[in-house]
Amino acid sequence: MSSLILGIESSCDETGVALVRLPDGGAVPQLLSHALHSQIDMHRAYGGVVPELASRDHIRRVLPLTEHVLKESGTTLQDVDVVAFTRGPGLAGALLVGAGVACALGAALDRPVLGVHHLEGHLLSPFLSEDPPEFPFIALLVSGGHTQLMRVDGVGDYAILGETIDDAAGEAFDKSAKLMGLPYPGGPELSRLAEGGDPEAFKLPRPLLHSGDLDFSFAGLKTAVLTQAKKLGDELEARKADLAASTQAAIVDVLVRKTLTALKDTGMRRVVVAGGVGANKLLRAQLNAACAKRQIRVHYPELHLCTDNGAMIAMAAAMRLQAGREKAEKIYAFDVKPRWPLDSLK
C-alpha cells in the first residue's frame, strides 16, 4: 500500500509545502502537488533576509499553502501518512515554524513525523525530474551558503570530496552583485545582467583552481570584483554588464573544472547538480558541453525546483523511508539544527 508524505520547508525565505506519494515495490516516489511562496519582495527593502520577518511570514503562509496542496491533489489531511519538515540547517526561528506546524499536525492526526536535512533535500531533488539519476554519482551542491562536491553511493551514503573554505558560489554571486549596486536578490540579477556583457572583459581570479584538491574559495574573487569596480569609478555603470559577465564566468569556470576533476578522480560517469545556483544558464551550458564530450550524464532538478521548496523535503523523506535509513515516529517534541553537516547523516 502506498503512503502519502506531506513535506514542509521553512529554512529561510521561502515557504514550501508538497505532497509526495511513496509507492510500494521500490519505485521512485511521485510528486502529486506542491506550492511555494517566496519572500523576496518583502526582504528586498532591506537588501537581504531579515530573520524575524521571515519567521513571521512562514507562520502566515504555511497552512494556506497546505490547504492549496491538498485541494490540488484531491486529498485531505486524513489521507496523509507522514508529515515531514526541514529540521536544518537554516535560520533557527524559521525552522521552528515548520517544525512546530509539522509536529502539531502529526499530533492532531495521530501520524508520525520526520525531520529532514535541507541539503539532502536539494541533493535528492533531481529524482523529482523527468530524467531521474541512478546511484552512484558525483553531486555538485551549490545552494546558498554551501558549495560542495560529494560522492553519493545511495540515500544517506555521502562522502564530501571538497567544499568551500570561505564564501560559497551563491554568496559570491550575491556579494558581487551588491558591490555593483544590483538589487536583492543579487545572484539572479547579476546573471541576467551578464547575458549582455563580455565574459572576457576583465581578468578575474579563479581561486583554488590549481590547488590540487576539490575545495572552493570565492572570497578572493569578491575582493577582485570590488577592486575592479573602484578602478572603473564613473565608468562602472557603462561597464557593469561586462563586469557581471566576467564575474559569472569566473565562478562557473571553477565549478565546472572542479566537477570534472572529481569525475576523473573517482571514475564516475554521472553527475548531479542541485541547489539554487544549479539554475544558472551558463553553468548548465558549460557543464553539459564538457560532460557530453566525455560521455558523462548530467542531471538537474526542474528549474522551478532549484530553489528551496517543499517537494524536495517530501521527496527526501520518502527516499529515506524507502531505503530504510529512517523511521518516522509519533514523537512530537521537536528541535531544529541551524548548523547540521550533511556528511553526519547515516
Side-chain angles (χ1 to χ4, degrees), residues 86-143:
T86 304
R87 190 180 178 196
L91 301 174
L95 291 167
L96 285 169
V97 175
V101 170
C103 290
L105 284 174
L109 297 168
D110 191 31
R111 300 290 194 274
V113 298
L114 181 60
V116 173
H117 197 294
H118 176 81
L119 296 181
E120 185 173 41
H122 278 300
L123 189 66
L124 299 177
S125 61
F127 284 92
L128 290 160
S129 71
E130 294 183 1
D131 180 29
E134 295 177 2
F135 298 113
F137 53 77
I138 292 297
L140 173 64
L141 185 58
V142 274
S143 169

Side-chain angles (χ1 to χ4, degrees), residues 141-207:
L141 185 58
V142 274
S143 169
H146 299 85
T147 300
Q148 296 175 326
L149 277 167
M150 308 188 73
R151 178 184 175 120
V152 179
D153 288 300
V155 177
D157 192 357
Y158 313 131
I160 294 180
L161 304 176
E163 58 188 335
T164 185
I165 60 176
D166 44 52
D167 284 356
E171 291 172 316
F173 270 108
D174 290 339
K175 291 179 180 180
S176 296
K178 194 168 186 177
L179 292 173
M180 295 179 208
L182 300 179
Y184 172 86
E189 292 291 334
L190 187 149
S191 295
R192 279 192 285 271
L193 182 61
E195 292 179 8
D198 177 5
E200 297 181 0
F202 301 100
K203 291 185 177 180
L204 297 176
R206 270 67 168 162

Side-chain angles (χ1 to χ4, degrees), residues 16-299:
V17 180
L19 195 65
V20 162
R21 185 185 301 281
L22 176 58
D24 289 334
V28 175
Q30 298 172 318
L31 176 63
L32 299 183
S33 176
H34 82 102
L36 183 69
H37 174 76
S38 173
Q39 301 174 0
I40 285 176
D41 290 342
M42 180 177 68
H43 294 295
R44 182 175 283 122
Y46 304 95
V49 177
V50 181
E52 178 66 19
L53 294 180
S55 302
R56 290 174 181 270
D57 199 61
H58 288 310
I59 294 170
R60 286 193 292 269
R61 306 292 179 179
V62 65
L63 291 179
L65 289 174
T66 300
E67 292 172 354
H68 175 83
V69 163
L70 292 169
K71 183 178 179 180
E72 187 175 73
S73 61
T75 59
T76 69
L77 276 176
Q78 295 299 325
D79 297 320
V80 173
D81 296 294
V82 176
V83 184
F85 62 94
T86 304
R87 190 180 178 196
L91 301 174
L95 291 167
L96 285 169
V97 175
V101 170
C103 290
L105 284 174
L109 297 168
D110 191 31
R111 300 290 194 274
V113 298
L114 181 60
V116 173
H117 197 294
H118 176 81
L119 296 181
E120 185 173 41
H122 278 300
L123 189 66
L124 299 177
S125 61
F127 284 92
L128 290 160
S129 71
E130 294 183 1
D131 180 29
E134 295 177 2
F135 298 113
F137 53 77
I138 292 297
L140 173 64
L141 185 58
V142 274
S143 169
H146 299 85
T147 300
Q148 296 175 326
L149 277 167
M150 308 188 73
R151 178 184 175 120
V152 179
D153 288 300
V155 177
D157 192 357
Y158 313 131
I160 294 180
L161 304 176
E163 58 188 335
T164 185
I165 60 176
D166 44 52
D167 284 356
E171 291 172 316
F173 270 108
D174 290 339
K175 291 179 180 180
S176 296
K178 194 168 186 177
L179 292 173
M180 295 179 208
L182 300 179
Y184 172 86
E189 292 291 334
L190 187 149
S191 295
R192 279 192 285 271
L193 182 61
E195 292 179 8
D198 177 5
E200 297 181 0
F202 301 100
K203 291 185 177 180
L204 297 176
R206 270 67 168 162
L208 297 189
L209 190 58
H210 303 293
S211 61
D213 58 32
L214 295 173
D215 287 335
F216 299 91
S217 168
F218 292 104
L221 174 61
K222 174 194 65 181
T223 303
V225 172
L226 174 60
T227 301
Q228 188 62 62
K230 287 181 176 178
K231 281 183 180 179
L232 286 170
D234 294 339
E235 294 181 43
L236 176 59
E237 194 61 38
R239 302 293 306 279
K240 196 176 285 186
D242 287 341
L243 185 55
S246 298
T247 303
Q248 177 177 252
I251 297 170
V252 168
D253 192 20
V254 173
L255 293 175
V256 170
R257 289 169 71 174
K258 291 266 185 177
T259 301
L260 294 175
T261 300
L263 289 162
K264 182 179 179 181
D265 289 351
T266 60
M268 291 279 190
R269 310 299 301 169
R270 190 182 301 271
V271 62
V272 157
V273 181
V277 181
N280 183 273
K281 293 179 181 178
L282 183 66
L283 175 60
R284 290 192 175 211
Q286 291 197 3
L287 191 59
N288 286 346
C291 287
K293 289 181 181 178
R294 295 162 176 79
Q295 297 184 313
I296 291 170
R297 291 289 309 279
V298 189
H299 299 266

